[in-house]
Amino acid sequence: MTKRKKNTTEAKGTILLVTATKAESAYFSQMRKDCRYMNLTVEYAGRDGLSLKELIDITAKRKNLGKYEKVWALFGFDEVGTDVEEVKVLREYAEKKRIGLCWFDPCFELWFLLHLGALNTYVGDAEGIRAKVKGAVGGDITPEFLLTKGINLHLQLFGRHATADINARNYNNAISYSHGLEATTMPEFDEMIQEVCGKADMSHNQKAFK
């Protein structure tokens, strides 16, 4: 009797993602729905203007309220008023609480910029990044945009996701030594999603690509 192959889409645990802003929560909720990651819980931290330590502490409290195998806090540097040196220190603080950090330096919109093309040198101009992304997707990355005109943004960008991941890895390799830290840990978060949630099931979204 032949042994049946294991389903590559099978979930292997639960994930909690706590975001620094409502926009991030809206976007990753799109991802959860589009990819059918039913074992992923996405929550907004609750208020804007948190420090990075406050975001980590809020995430730790929510971790203790539920049974999650993996817990991550997600933020742009500008949203929590942080810098490379503080992130280095607080990454160790987060690790002690068994929380992963998914960050974007200088801003969350970096992730969308990496969908548009490769970067070879450090880009620290948050407003410049936002302007390029706005021109490409048709609006600012705000909760209002993601709940209206941009309600299918994740679905529209999904075909470029693998390229964005490669662009992020190459960008990190190019700047990590001189900059002192990766520009984004989204590739690490991606790996964990694949490990825990399995492959994205996009079959129900075929019509959206026409």
Side-chain angles (χ1 to χ4, degrees):
M1 184 175 179
T2 58
K3 196 171 183 180
R4 198 172 185 179
K5 289 185 179 180
K6 194 172 184 179
N7 183 358
T8 56
T9 63
E10 181 183 349
K12 301 176 183 177
T14 54
I15 304 169
L16 171 65
L17 176 66
V18 179
T19 68
T21 69
K22 288 182 180 179
E24 292 159 348
S25 178
Y27 180 74
F28 284 94
S29 292
Q30 287 183 0
M31 180 187 77
R32 177 184 183 277
K33 175 180 68 70
D34 292 341
C35 299
R36 290 186 173 179
Y37 291 151
M38 303 312 295
N39 55 331
L40 168 64
T41 299
V42 181
E43 296 181 358
Y44 168 47
R47 64 181 175 88
D48 291 346
L50 293 169
S51 68
L52 178 52
K53 185 177 183 299
E54 287 172 331
L55 176 61
I56 294 169
D57 288 340
I58 287 171
T59 303
K61 287 180 182 178
R62 297 194 183 179
K63 171 181 177 246
N64 294 333
L65 293 174
K67 296 179 180 179
Y68 302 101
E69 277 73 22
K70 304 288 184 180
V71 181
W72 286 64
L74 183 143
F75 59 94
F77 274 32
D78 60 339
E79 296 157 0
V80 295
T82 195
D83 56 26
V84 168
E85 294 309 315
E86 182 180 54
V87 171
K88 286 180 179 179
V89 173
L90 290 181
R91 177 162 57 177
E92 295 183 7
Y93 176 71
E95 285 174 352
K96 289 178 181 178
K97 293 180 177 290
R98 300 181 67 185
I99 292 170
L101 297 183
C102 183
W103 67 70
F104 305 89
D105 178 10
C107 59
F108 175 48
E109 287 82 357
L110 173 68
W111 179 233
F112 301 96
L113 187 64
L114 289 164
H115 282 73
L116 304 178
L119 302 173
N120 298 314
T121 58
Y122 175 66
V123 181
D125 178 9
E127 291 308 313
I129 291 174
R130 291 191 181 100
K132 289 181 180 179
V133 170
K134 180 179 180 179
V137 304
D140 293 311
I141 306 299
T142 64
E144 294 76 19
F145 173 74
L146 292 169
L147 292 174
T148 55
K149 185 178 178 181
I151 197 166
N152 291 316
L153 182 60
H154 175 268
L155 187 58
Q156 291 165 355
L157 293 176
F158 183 79
R160 300 183 186 180
H161 185 96
T163 298
D165 187 273
I166 293 171
N167 287 341
R169 292 172 188 275
N170 291 338
Y171 183 45
N172 282 337
N173 289 337
I175 72 159
S176 290
Y177 181 76
S178 59
H179 190 57
L181 193 72
E182 308 98 306
T184 177
T185 49
M186 187 66 194
E188 293 176 26
F189 183 67
D190 266 341
E191 284 185 1
M192 186 272 302
I193 286 282
Q194 293 294 316
E195 176 188 338
V196 178
C197 295
K199 291 183 179 180
D201 177 7
M202 304 296 289
S203 58
H204 61 305
N205 290 318
Q206 287 178 348
K207 291 182 180 179
F209 288 97
K210 291 182 180 179

